[in-house]
Amino acid sequence: MLSNRERKIVERFEKSRKIQSAGSLRSQIGEEETFFTMMRRMARENKLAVFSAIVILLIILAAILAPVLTPYSYSDMDLMNRLSPPSSAHLFGTDEAGRDILTRLLYGARVSLLTGVVPTIMSMLLGALLGVVSGIYGGWLDDLIMRLADITLAFPSMLLAMVIMYMLGDGLINVFLTLALVNWASVARIVRAQTLQLKKTEFVEAARVIGVRRGKMIFRHILPNCLPTLIVLFTLNVPAAILTESSLSFLGLGLQPPSASWGLMVNSGRQYLYAAPWLSLAPGIAIMVSVLAFNFLGDGLRDVLDPYQKK
Amino acid sequence: MVRNALQRLLQSVLVLLGAALLVFLMLRIIPGNPAAVLMGEHADATVIKRMTEELGLDQPVLVQFFRYIADALRGDFGTSFSLGKPVSELMASAFVNTLILALFASAYAWILGIISGVIAAVKKNSLPDRLFMGASLLGVSMPVFMAAMLLQFFLGYQLKWLPIAGTSDWTGFILPAIALGWNSAGSVARLVRSTLLEILEEDYIDTARAKGRGQMGVLMVHALRNAMLPVITMMAIQLSGMLSGAVITETVFSVNGIGRLAVQAISSRDIPLLQGTVLFSAAIVIIGNYVADSLYNVLDPRIRKEA
Amino acid sequence: MADNTLEIRNLNTSFFTQHGEVRAVNDVSLDVRRAQITGIVGESGCGKSMTARSVMGLVRYPGRIVSGRIRLDGKEITGLSKKEMCSLRGNELSMIFQEPMSSLNPVMKVGKQVEETLRIHQHVTKEEAARRTEEIFREVGISDARSRMACYPHQLSGGLRQRVMIAMAMICKPKLLIADEPTTALDVTVEAQILSLMKRLCEGGTSILLISHNLGVIAQVCDYVYVMYAGRIVEQADTCTLFDHPVHPYTRALLGAASSLRSGAARLETIPGGVPNLLHLPSGCSFSPRCEKCARQCQNEVPQMLPVSGEGHLARCYFANVPEE
Amino acid sequence: MREVLLEARNLTKEFPAGRKKKVHAVTNVTIQILRGETLGLVGESGCGKSTLGRLLIGLLKPDSGQVLAGGEDVTRMSDRQFGKYRRQLQLIFQDPYSSLDPRMNVREIIAEPLRTWNVCRTKEELTDKVLELMEAVGVPGEYLYRYPHQFSGGQRQRIGIARALAADPELIVCDEPVSALDVPVQNQILNLLSELQESRGLTYLFISHDLSVVRHISDRVCVMFLGMICEVGEKEEVYQSPMHPYTRFLLNAILLPDPHHRHEEEHLLTGEIPSAVNVPSGCRFHTRCPYAAKRCLSEVPQLKDAGGRLVACHYPLKP
């Protein structure tokens, strides 16, 4: 059985497909909707999404250009300048070891973006593959994959991530693996449900009448039609992964100092919350802004890809 | 219908067993002998060996597993390495705190979420809609520890209205409940809004209007009842999520609940305690899913009669 | 007492999309006579459903009534407040829809849904409401009324569901019943049953506005017919006149297409071209691009409804009164 | 007599519907399709006509019974063995909206069967072939790279027909191909189907609930009720003098576009169609049949020859 959120996503896209095919007002108007016109429509209708896209681009640039943008190193300590408040030399102040917070934020963006994107891509690839296979072939393979998904989803995701991190040990790669292992199951279930629905459609039946084999069917008909769902899932899962990473680091289970991870920075600033609130505040806000930006962009994309919401 | 419920129950039990096996295996993969960890770095090799045998760690993993399950069924989850008390006892007292916190948090989250969701849907694209949806997106996007720390800083430290941490009396639960519920309120509001908007497009809403129902009547009698189906199941799942331990919230506010117990278990490498808390959480989540599914089946006559 | 239950004058309903104004209903005037079945026929997208929804006040965003007057039983209903409209709907004015499955609330027993109409408009006790629901169920031909009332919509067949919809619409004895493609989703034998039920309701004094794309349905039950094309009424006449002596080229083509099916001809009659886009209507007569008689005049100016020989027969065509060669 | 192209013998197909319940979609159906003819298959929704169509072209496997093509039983074949029949048996769908993959353009849609069967060697050849098919069904070639949602219902149906033709089939099962279309468009499609039949020597199994359409296009007609065949015969014979009571009621229910011939109440069938899950015993029509006798309640009538046509009724009407 699907969880609520999953059921929603699947139902909505099923509905949107029907609406799209019912070709209401739009097909009467008969304007072509390509990817670019869609994006343009989003740009016109949803300024917030565009703004968010710009914010994300800026974060990416900042992450890439970190060494150029700042004269400081993210790990060199300067014990003379511990906990100094924001000033012209240190825009966001320094932390308990005298490291420049802005510098650490810029380098931390690398960690957050990577932990947002890499494990999400991994979990989506794994989930989509298993989901499609499960839906198309059915039988014992389906049972096996779905029971594994059930088991994965039986744990609170934070707790599961903690246990896997504990098992694997610290490190960026292990964070990637952990997040991928935690998130694949819901992707698989959503893709499977959609595959089952697509399997029932007449155009898939038509392909069977023609004699298209199952393997080809997946790549020609099933996956392309799952794409809008996958794109939306991607934009929802990236911020979720960023949050989970920062939470893990916050608990001391993700990356270890002196690595610059936003969650880690919030955690180490906790002890100085009352004396030097900027220590935690700056990375906290950075997390929030990037997660918000991804969420807004995701909302915008969903609205655009989902004809059901179109006026 | 009863048969269907039993079938799903059986499946849930199997999933729980699978989950238990998974945890068990994962914790055995970790390098290092737990007995050695338990006895400290400088322990004698023979002592460690004796301890290993005592704990049954020299047996094959599957044997250990079934022994563990058999004990667990009798309520015995072993003894905590670090705290020296039975794990079941520790979990029981922790669960009380988690329960209070979850009830506080969910009550306020749901009331807030449903009301703001309904208002947002009815007044679509109005100022309140944008305000509520902005706030809910903020709720979904803000890391829990961030919300928790902000609450501590302003309401606890600056205004001194409420205790910053600890649960010596019930006021100690208020801040963590707000931090924990904020996120749920946001997702409930968004779900209520989107479901309502979808349902307001349905044909039977036209029928209701065609028979002379006013805006309010259509909403309350026809739309909301249908919209609550997915919302109620979501709430069941949320509650089970909170009951299985709010790791971050409990840690930040020093609430001695299940989540904090798990964190403690990890930081002190206390395997029996970790195993117990994780399994307990999984059980709660599985029960929550089961209840959510059952609720859906009971509430939706289409499924109720077909099953 | 007027002998028209419903009078629509110069009704315009449009959808305001980002591509421009879609004129779904374009200067429509029509009457529904007392205790008669009046039909609107046309292809999908010709604006017939929107006309009905405009009368009910159920046009959805981004559509709205731009101008026009609607009078129910001599009383102006355009410009009524929302509350006043609510007290009309279901009471004096009711409607049934095409899809009997999705038009019923899935989580409510059908008896409750029918009672609801009664309880909105009249102060009756629960027992009274239940009694009258049972009564109306019998009237619309639902056997085993009492047990059927306790069913959920999905437990009933399509035909029964449509009967429930009719019961719901009829329980307050409305003056006008609007039926939007009431039989399109039903099987042939059930369709015939529902149509004969509608005829019976009409004999009982209800005025009915029946909307259908099916000329067979129209011919079988209607007393008077309006033909719509691209948002406009193009021809109106009593049923026999319309089927015997259609004058508008569109009506002729439509009738020709329907009747050639049973003529045994090897090739069926069709209409060249496609239905025009409501966003970019041709100037002049909207049928002109597909019309073989099209003259310059037709392309420049929209023709008015012209009277044709025969009482109450009007057509929107410059050649309405030109005799066939 | 014409050659038999495809023959179904005692086909039965049931679908599970919850615990210990089954939908009796098709029960013990025997039918022949002759080369070059159009066999009309009529019945109300849920009578199993679509299921029968899909069984005949091997899209569904029957629970029991055989489908014979060229003397071979195709139902017991492996996918590989069935391969050569796959191309010969094609299907046209009811809903022109959902039967085309929304993410493929016209060229890709029509080319799919050509690619699957490696008909064309080069890209140019493929495009030429697609253009040829588009012309055959009356879709302008300049729409080659358009997507389904940019077409009207009638044009989409033409594209669906072109796709079926691309496989170069012998039999096309037309599953309600015109019921989603307005009458003028419906007539265009029916004309196209007739033309194609003539020029390509196709055989059609034409499934529809619309008796007027079936009457126009068919040579022979087969009437189904709740998974069983009631009557099979030459079109005019069946329409002029139905022998099965159900056929007669079905014909009485036709809504003629002629206000001078309104149908009379007493000639209409009463009651609802029984569910295919709990089928009535004996003759499945007995619950609605005014002529039902004791025998009809217990004994299933077999399809018997009645003067040139087949009728499954214990007490057939006099022609």
Side-chain angles (χ1 to χ4, degrees):
Chain A
M1 200 108 181
L2 289 177
S3 84
N4 245 293
R5 170 169 159 272
E6 294 163 0
R7 190 157 25 200
K8 281 244 61 99
I9 292 177
V10 170
E11 274 171 11
R12 159 164 308 180
F13 274 89
E14 174 64 2
K15 218 168 210 170
S16 72
R17 240 197 43 240
K18 279 186 187 145
I19 299 275
Q20 195 176 25
S21 61
S24 49
L25 218 52
R26 196 154 56 85
S27 81
Q28 221 184 44
I29 292 159
E31 187 184 285
E32 185 177 4
E33 180 100 299
T34 63
F35 182 74
F36 291 102
T37 55
M38 251 188 224
M39 291 301 113
R40 225 182 304 148
R41 192 154 56 82
M42 183 176 88
R44 203 171 46 229
E45 285 171 11
N46 197 337
K47 299 272 184 284
L48 204 54
V50 178
F51 181 70
S52 304
I54 295 172
V55 169
I56 292 169
L57 272 179
L58 285 180
I59 297 175
I60 294 173
L61 273 181
I64 295 171
L65 299 177
V68 186
L69 291 175
T70 165
Y72 306 102
S73 142
Y74 70 91
S75 56
D76 287 353
M77 299 194 212
D78 177 5
L79 295 178
M80 302 299 292
N81 272 320
R82 294 178 68 229
L83 301 176
S84 61
S87 66
S88 56
H90 301 281
L91 276 181
F92 289 175
T94 59
D95 68 3
E96 73 281 4
R99 295 169 294 207
D100 180 48
I101 289 181
L102 179 61
T103 306
R104 286 177 63 75
L105 277 187
L106 293 179
Y107 283 95
R110 294 182 167 187
V111 174
S112 284
L113 285 177
L114 282 178
T115 48
V117 174
V118 176
T120 304
I121 291 178
M122 284 161 63
S123 64
M124 303 258 319
L125 284 178
L126 187 69
L129 183 75
L130 291 178
V132 165
V133 165
S134 194
I136 285 281
Y137 292 93
W140 65 269
L141 201 58
D142 181 27
D143 278 339
L144 181 72
I145 293 172
M146 283 304 112
R147 290 301 85 76
L148 274 178
D150 284 347
I151 290 172
T152 313
L153 289 169
F155 300 101
S157 59
M158 195 57 215
L159 213 53
L160 181 62
M162 282 162 55
V163 174
I164 300 180
M165 275 315 285
Y166 175 60
M167 178 181 90
L168 295 175
D170 310 319
L172 196 59
I173 302 292
N174 288 344
V175 173
F176 290 170
L177 278 178
T178 303
L179 293 179
L181 284 176
V182 171
N183 288 328
W184 72 271
S186 75
V187 178
R189 290 221 297 205
I190 290 172
V191 171
R192 173 179 176 270
Q194 251 205 314
T195 305
L196 288 180
Q197 277 173 344
L198 286 169
K199 234 169 113 174
K200 280 187 279 180
T201 60
E202 294 193 333
F203 64 80
V204 169
E205 202 179 9
R208 282 179 55 212
V209 177
I210 289 163
V212 176
R213 283 176 214 292
R214 281 196 285 197
K216 274 203 172 149
M217 191 85 86
I218 291 177
F219 290 101
R220 261 201 219 149
H221 297 283
I222 305 286
L223 281 179
N225 279 290
C226 286
L227 204 61
T229 315
L230 290 175
I231 291 174
V232 170
L233 268 182
F234 183 76
T235 56
L236 289 174
N237 283 351
V238 166
I242 293 178
L243 277 181
T244 312
E245 183 274 331
S246 62
S247 300
L248 280 175
S249 294
F250 178 82
L251 289 175
L253 284 164
L255 298 177
Q256 296 303 319
S259 320
S261 153
W262 292 342
L264 196 62
M265 288 166 71
V266 176
N267 187 24
S268 52
R270 247 180 93 201
Q271 316 160 41
Y272 309 97
L273 182 61
Y274 308 115
W278 58 88
L279 256 63
S280 289
L281 218 54
I285 290 173
I287 296 171
M288 238 170 69
V289 168
S290 51
V291 170
L292 259 179
F294 273 108
N295 275 335
F296 277 132
L297 182 64
D299 268 14
L301 276 179
R302 179 173 49 208
D303 286 353
V304 157
L305 292 172
D306 176 3
Y308 190 62
Q309 300 235 318
K310 280 174 198 163
K311 290 165 192 160
Chain B
M1 173 148 180
V2 173
R3 195 190 157 96
N4 177 285
L6 284 177
Q7 224 165 14
R8 284 186 300 113
L9 190 65
L10 182 72
Q11 207 171 18
S12 300
V13 171
L14 286 179
V15 169
L16 184 59
L17 269 180
L21 184 61
L22 186 72
V23 175
F24 207 80
L25 290 178
M26 280 201 298
L27 296 179
R28 292 295 172 289
I29 293 173
I30 299 166
N33 187 339
V37 175
L38 175 63
M39 303 307 291
E41 276 174 44
H42 308 291
D44 192 345
T46 53
V47 180
I48 290 176
K49 187 159 181 286
R50 209 182 62 229
M51 196 67 205
T52 308
E53 276 163 24
E54 211 168 280
L55 290 171
L57 294 173
D58 53 341
Q59 305 274 339
V61 177
L62 272 183
V63 174
Q64 290 183 44
F65 175 68
F66 285 116
R67 199 175 281 169
Y68 181 78
I69 293 294
D71 287 345
L73 284 177
R74 273 182 267 119
D76 176 12
F77 290 88
T79 308
S80 160
F81 290 172
S82 59
L83 301 169
K85 287 185 189 166
V87 172
S88 51
E89 209 173 277
L90 289 166
M91 289 199 301
S93 66
F95 185 63
V96 175
N97 285 327
T98 298
L99 184 67
I100 298 174
L101 178 57
L103 291 181
F104 265 47
S106 53
Y108 113 87
W110 296 345
I111 294 171
L112 196 69
I114 292 175
I115 293 177
S116 58
V118 170
I119 295 176
V122 175
K123 305 266 174 221
K124 194 185 165 195
N125 293 333
S126 68
L127 185 71
D129 177 22
R130 283 167 202 276
L131 222 62
F132 284 143
M133 286 308 109
S136 74
L137 205 54
L138 209 64
V140 179
S141 302
M142 181 148 38
V144 184
F145 53 82
M146 194 61 200
M149 284 164 59
L150 287 177
L151 286 171
Q152 280 181 328
F153 188 76
F154 288 109
L155 296 185
Y157 174 71
Q158 297 229 298
L159 298 170
K160 299 199 170 35
W161 285 354
L162 291 161
I164 289 173
T167 50
S168 43
D169 64 43
W170 66 272
T171 52
F173 284 105
I174 296 180
L175 282 187
I178 295 177
L180 183 60
W182 187 236
N183 196 317
S184 310
S187 40
V188 167
R190 289 164 74 80
L191 184 68
V192 168
R193 177 179 183 269
S194 67
T195 319
L196 257 187
L197 284 180
E198 237 164 76
I199 282 173
L200 286 174
E201 297 275 312
E202 297 279 350
D203 288 346
Y204 58 81
I205 296 300
D206 275 341
T207 308
R209 292 178 61 199
K211 60 170 99 154
R213 277 280 184 203
Q215 176 80 0
M216 229 27 207
V218 168
L219 197 72
M220 289 301 159
V221 180
H222 294 277
L224 208 53
R225 250 180 88 177
N226 280 286
M228 285 320 275
L229 288 180
V231 176
I232 287 176
T233 51
M234 181 197 218
M235 296 196 305
I237 288 173
Q238 275 184 353
L239 184 63
S240 72
M242 291 179 187
L243 286 177
S244 66
V247 177
I248 306 277
T249 314
E250 289 177 5
T251 308
V252 176
F253 289 101
S254 317
V255 177
N256 288 315
I258 296 287
R260 191 159 188 238
L261 208 57
V263 176
Q264 282 170 353
I266 284 186
S267 51
S268 58
R269 315 205 129 239
D270 187 342
I271 288 187
L273 187 59
L274 183 59
Q275 208 160 269
T277 47
V278 171
L279 257 187
F280 181 79
S281 301
I284 296 269
V285 170
I286 289 169
I287 292 172
N289 285 339
Y290 181 74
V291 170
D293 275 356
S294 307
L295 272 179
Y296 203 99
N297 290 357
V298 169
L299 291 175
D300 192 337
R302 283 163 292 188
I303 299 179
R304 195 198 308 167
K305 292 286 150 70
E306 274 159 31
Chain C
M1 196 150 133
D3 71 278
N4 287 336
T5 307
L6 180 75
E7 292 178 4
I8 302 177
R9 291 291 171 266
N10 309 102
L11 179 72
N12 282 287
T13 301
S14 293
F15 283 82
F16 295 91
T17 69
Q18 50 187 356
H19 304 282
E21 183 182 352
V22 177
R23 308 196 66 172
V25 179
N26 202 337
D27 196 27
V28 163
S29 300
L30 65 79
D31 296 330
V32 176
R33 299 203 193 142
R34 191 167 309 285
Q36 286 199 352
I37 302 184
T38 303
I40 305 181
V41 69
E43 294 174 74
S44 45
C46 72
K48 50 192 194 307
S49 288
M50 268 310 137
T51 309
R53 284 175 168 267
S54 303
V55 175
M56 289 298 288
L58 291 178
V59 180
R60 283 193 165 166
Y61 183 84
R64 66 182 162 83
I65 298 177
V66 180
S67 63
R69 297 201 345 256
I70 302 166
R71 291 154 72 98
L72 180 70
D73 220 15
K75 197 176 78 183
E76 186 76 33
I77 62 168
T78 34
L80 284 188
S81 72
K82 275 187 184 168
K83 211 171 158 202
E84 289 166 315
M85 259 328 267
C86 280
S87 68
L88 278 185
R89 283 199 289 256
N91 196 10
E92 296 181 31
L93 183 64
S94 57
M95 181 163 176
I96 54 176
F97 301 89
Q98 176 174 352
E99 286 292 337
M101 179 71 234
S102 56
S103 298
L104 288 167
N105 187 340
V107 300
M108 216 178 189
K109 290 177 180 161
V110 291
K112 271 254 152 31
Q113 298 192 48
V114 175
E115 279 170 36
E116 193 191 352
T117 318
L118 195 62
R119 297 179 56 127
I120 291 171
H121 299 289
Q122 297 174 15
H123 291 283
V124 290
T125 60
K126 256 193 170 145
E127 293 72 34
E128 171 73 5
R131 194 186 57 74
R132 286 195 35 199
T133 303
E134 207 182 322
E135 205 178 284
I136 192 94
F137 266 42
R138 292 224 180 81
E139 264 171 57
V140 299
I142 301 176
S143 57
D144 210 2
R146 190 162 277 276
S147 68
R148 289 275 160 70
M149 279 166 66
C151 287
Y152 287 95
H154 67 96
Q155 296 167 299
L156 303 178
S157 68
L160 276 176
R161 281 183 221 137
Q162 199 57 293
R163 283 179 199 269
V164 170
M165 284 297 292
I166 294 174
M168 192 187 294
M170 291 305 296
I171 194 165
C172 288
K173 310 256 179 284
K175 293 176 178 136
L176 176 70
L177 173 67
I178 300 177
D180 186 0
E181 305 263 9
T183 58
T184 306
L186 305 177
D187 279 313
V188 196
T189 53
V190 183
E191 175 173 43
Q193 293 169 15
I194 296 287
L195 288 179
S196 75
L197 170 62
M198 310 237 348
K199 269 200 257 184
R200 229 172 51 228
L201 292 176
C202 179
E203 280 154 20
T206 313
S207 316
I208 296 177
L209 178 61
L210 179 80
I211 290 160
S212 182
H213 70 282
N214 186 339
L215 284 163
V217 170
I218 297 285
Q220 290 297 319
V221 300
C222 289
D223 298 298
Y224 195 84
V225 187
Y226 292 83
V227 182
M228 277 186 88
Y229 182 75
R232 291 197 181 93
I233 288 178
V234 294
E235 185 162 2
Q236 62 187 75
D238 66 85
T239 311
C240 289
T241 312
L242 188 92
F243 280 82
D244 293 343
H245 309 289
V247 285
H248 196 285
Y250 175 67
T251 318
R252 284 163 175 251
L254 200 61
L255 284 172
S259 56
S260 71
L261 259 184
R262 35 182 215 110
S263 67
R267 271 196 74 82
L268 299 169
E269 285 181 35
T270 62
I271 309 178
V275 180
N277 186 333
L278 288 179
L279 205 56
H280 312 288
L281 280 178
S283 64
C285 173
S286 26
F287 191 61
S288 60
R290 307 171 76 182
C291 181
E292 38 185 45
K293 284 191 194 163
C294 174
R296 175 165 302 158
Q297 192 185 11
C298 301
Q299 293 174 350
N300 293 335
E301 207 180 324
V302 182
Q304 295 303 306
M305 290 299 278
L306 299 173
V308 187
S309 62
E311 205 186 329
H313 188 179
L314 300 167
R316 196 184 284 279
C317 179
Y318 290 116
F319 302 98
N321 287 309
V322 178
E324 284 293 296
E325 66 275 6
Chain D
M1 192 154 172
R2 282 196 278 190
E3 174 197 354
V4 175
L5 179 70
L6 198 68
E7 181 175 6
R9 281 196 194 149
N10 308 100
L11 275 189
T12 296
K13 179 73 184 175
E14 287 160 353
F15 296 106
R19 194 157 50 95
K20 285 187 191 160
K21 283 186 194 156
K22 282 177 289 191
V23 176
H24 301 265
V26 169
T27 308
N28 202 17
V29 164
T30 299
I31 195 173
Q32 291 183 336
I33 300 174
L34 308 178
R35 186 178 291 280
E37 75 164 348
T38 300
L39 177 63
L41 187 56
V42 283
E44 296 176 273
S45 60
C47 74
K49 52 192 194 299
S50 286
T51 309
L52 179 57
R54 281 163 172 72
L55 285 170
L56 286 172
I57 58 166
L59 211 50
L60 288 173
K61 291 251 178 255
D63 296 332
S64 66
Q66 303 169 303
V67 176
L68 302 174
E72 288 182 284
D73 181 5
V74 297
T75 59
R76 303 279 168 262
M77 285 181 178
S78 68
D79 282 357
R80 174 106 60 81
Q81 288 170 306
F82 186 64
K84 68 173 172 178
Y85 293 106
R86 179 69 286 151
R87 277 181 77 175
Q88 293 172 7
L89 309 171
Q90 288 296 307
L91 182 63
I92 300 174
F93 295 86
Q94 167 177 7
D95 186 352
Y97 295 103
S98 63
S99 59
L100 305 177
D101 189 333
R103 295 188 184 273
M104 284 187 166
N105 63 31
V106 176
R107 183 177 178 276
E108 289 168 320
I109 290 170
I110 301 178
E112 195 170 19
L114 301 172
R115 285 213 183 109
T116 308
W117 298 104
N118 293 323
V119 175
C120 304
R121 243 167 265 125
T122 64
K123 251 189 162 173
E124 289 71 35
E125 204 185 326
L126 190 73
T127 308
D128 286 346
K129 183 89 187 153
V130 170
L131 284 170
E132 191 188 309
L133 284 162
M134 283 171 75
E135 200 196 327
V137 297
V139 177
E142 62 255 37
Y143 295 160
L144 190 60
Y145 294 102
R146 287 210 181 178
Y147 286 86
H149 71 259
Q150 295 171 280
F151 291 96
S152 67
Q155 279 172 314
R156 285 174 184 231
Q157 200 56 286
R158 288 171 193 269
I159 296 168
I161 294 172
R163 175 177 55 193
L165 288 180
D168 201 12
E170 301 211 7
L171 171 73
I172 298 184
V173 172
C174 309
D175 188 4
E176 306 255 12
V178 294
S179 38
L181 306 173
D182 281 312
V183 177
V185 187
Q186 159 192 308
N187 287 4
Q188 290 173 3
I189 298 296
L190 291 176
N191 284 342
L192 174 66
L193 287 173
S194 308
E195 280 164 29
L196 291 170
Q197 180 165 42
E198 220 162 278
S199 60
R200 295 176 179 243
L202 295 168
T203 306
Y204 291 141
L205 176 67
F206 194 95
I207 302 172
S208 180
H209 69 276
D210 188 329
L211 290 132
S212 310
V213 169
V214 169
R215 181 174 198 169
H216 169 79
I217 199 149
S218 311
D219 301 312
R220 290 192 308 141
V221 180
C222 169
V223 182
M224 273 184 90
F225 182 79
L226 273 189
M228 294 181 105
I229 292 180
C230 306
E231 187 164 357
V232 191
E234 293 298 323
K235 167 177 70 177
E236 284 311 321
E237 279 179 31
V238 173
Y239 273 77
Q240 301 289 344
S241 57
M243 289 176 78
H244 196 288
Y246 178 62
T247 315
R248 179 195 270 185
F249 282 111
L250 213 50
L251 292 170
N252 280 344
I254 296 183
L255 299 167
L256 294 177
D258 181 354
H260 302 293
H261 289 94
R262 296 198 168 174
H263 50 227
E264 329 254 311
E265 193 103 0
E266 59 267 30
H267 292 152
L268 293 181
L269 210 49
T270 53
E272 299 280 324
I273 307 167
S275 116
V277 178
N278 304 310
V279 289
S281 63
C283 173
R284 290 185 181 174
F285 185 59
H286 82 249
T287 56
R288 296 175 87 193
C289 182
Y291 313 110
K294 217 175 195 173
R295 187 175 166 206
C296 305
L297 272 62
S298 55
E299 196 182 325
V300 182
Q302 298 300 315
L303 207 54
K304 285 188 296 261
D305 198 321
R309 67 180 124 161
L310 304 170
V311 182
C313 180
H314 295 306
Y315 307 103
L317 305 169
K318 295 280 171 292

